Amino acid sequence: MAATIVDGKAIATQVEDQVRRQIAAWRDAGHPSPGLHVVLCGDDPASATYVAGKARASERVGIRSEVHRPPADSSTEELLALVGRLGGDDEVDAILVQVPLPPQIDSGRVLDAVAPEKDVDGFHPVNFGLLAEGRPRIAPCTPLGCMEILRHHEVPVRGARAVVVGRSTIVGRPMALLLTNADATVTVCHSRTADLAGVCREADILVAATGKVDMIDGSFVKPGAAVIDVGNTRVGGRVRGDVDRESVEPIAGLLTPVPGGVGPMTIAMLMSNAVALAAARRGLAVTGAA
Ligand code: NDP
């Protein structure tokens, strides 16, 4: 039997609906909407598109979003000053620094300067450390989206064998931590893993986050496995994933397509994270999954 194909857009819409209801409930009780502030520095067209998408999503759910556009020739010190000012502004609940930053900027210093309690991307070392300790405050949006897909489709995670291919700080590592925290038995693979296909074939849950188009084919997949394809690589005007759908679909139990699988979840989870940060800072109750 062919795999169930995940409709990431539909799940993302449900998450956004939940976020919108939460914000409306807060507003009805006299609380302000969460404030999300984005720092967009430089002329990277892909970054501009992502930021526009985040602004549109904020508008849909009722988040007050503001984009700060320091000039492309800004210095590290200038960005540190901006990020520091946002950190100290009580109106600001969530801060996102869009990467990549221009080459003259020390990105690490700028990202580390984001106030951890306003770090909506969950990239700050304090938040990463809390996630690693199993007491997360906030987690990166793309792996959170993958967890939400598994939850939505009622894929058993506790006790399952999970394999994550990729160990980046944005996707692979936090994905492995989220699965570990949810009681899966997790193996992290990378470019030096021996017998990658053999390791992947042990997985009940297989997450591919390499950026290598079609590298996961049917020979990597255990029959019935849930296969989550995070890959998002532009090839000749098309977005392609890491998973070779043609050979995997007849074997897997669940499969996220590219596009339309994990991609739409990332922005939805960003909205959800902004709500979670606002709730924590302002001592507000969160109802449901938002
Ligand atoms: P990175 O390039 O930072 O990391 C890629 C990882 O894949 C590395 O750990 C690398 O191993 C591993 N890898 C590369 N080649 C192989 C191979 N042949 N076999 C096994 N492992 C391999 O990428 P990101 O984690 O940032 O992103 C991964 C993919 O996810 C990209 O396609 C990206 O566009 C996509 N993405 C999608 C998002 C979405 O919203 N849908 C959001 C973020 C990312 P090593 O560490 O040894 O080099």
Side-chain angles (χ1 to χ4, degrees):
M1 223 176 74
T4 299
I5 302 298
V6 170
D7 184 346
K9 201 155 188 316
I11 304 172
T13 301
Q14 286 186 18
V15 172
E16 278 194 15
D17 286 346
Q18 189 111 30
V19 169
R20 188 183 307 105
R21 281 195 298 272
Q22 179 64 77
I23 293 171
W26 283 346
R27 280 216 300 262
D28 288 349
H31 302 293
S33 319
L36 168 64
H37 287 239
V38 178
V39 176
L40 175 60
C41 180
D43 312 311
D44 181 45
S47 293
T49 306
Y50 293 143
V51 167
K54 289 163 187 174
R56 281 197 302 276
S58 298
E59 202 167 314
R60 284 198 297 274
V61 299
I63 284 176
R64 290 176 292 117
S65 104
E66 195 171 319
V67 182
H68 302 264
R69 300 174 196 274
D73 62 355
S74 298
S75 65
T76 299
E77 302 306 326
E78 283 165 331
L79 285 204
L80 287 173
L82 171 58
V83 165
R85 184 168 64 69
L86 296 174
D89 183 343
D90 194 47
E91 296 291 305
V92 178
D93 294 293
I95 302 170
L96 185 157
V97 178
Q98 184 66 46
V99 288
L101 291 168
Q104 79 279 9
I105 308 259
D106 184 339
S107 301
R109 271 183 77 200
V110 174
L111 291 173
D112 285 359
V114 172
E117 69 279 10
K118 299 186 179 185
D119 166 36
V120 73
D121 264 334
F123 293 160
H124 193 282
V126 166
N127 289 323
F128 202 87
L130 289 170
L131 180 65
E133 284 186 355
R135 48 191 190 111
R137 172 163 61 186
I138 207 83
C141 302
T142 299
L144 266 185
C146 298
M147 294 302 289
E148 183 62 23
I149 287 171
L150 295 172
R151 195 189 67 80
H152 181 92
H153 282 277
E154 298 180 347
V155 174
V157 177
R158 175 170 291 175
R161 287 295 308 267
V163 172
V164 180
V165 189
R167 55 177 166 180
S168 73
T169 50
I170 295 174
V171 189
R173 282 172 205 254
M175 184 75 234
L177 292 171
L178 285 168
L179 286 163
T180 302
N181 292 347
D183 296 330
T185 302
V186 184
T187 303
V188 180
C189 299
H190 44 76
S191 64
R192 311 281 178 216
T193 298
D195 186 19
L196 182 63
V199 177
C200 290
R201 269 197 309 276
E202 292 176 7
D204 304 306
I205 298 168
L206 176 60
V207 182
T210 68
K212 297 282 179 278
V213 173
D214 286 352
M215 74 163 283
I216 304 290
D217 65 23
S219 71
F220 287 61
V221 177
K222 177 177 174 176
V227 180
I228 307 287
D229 186 355
V230 183
N232 194 297
T233 307
R234 200 161 270 284
V235 185
R238 277 181 64 205
V239 175
R240 305 283 303 279
D242 294 354
V243 175
D244 170 40
R245 179 166 171 176
E246 197 177 309
S247 63
V248 170
E249 189 173 342
I251 300 170
L254 184 82
L255 175 63
T256 64
V258 177
V262 173
M265 295 301 295
T266 298
I267 288 187
M269 300 320 289
L270 181 75
M271 300 296 110
S272 176
N273 270 358
V275 161
L277 291 178
R281 279 189 67 240
R282 296 168 187 265
L284 299 171
V286 177
T287 52

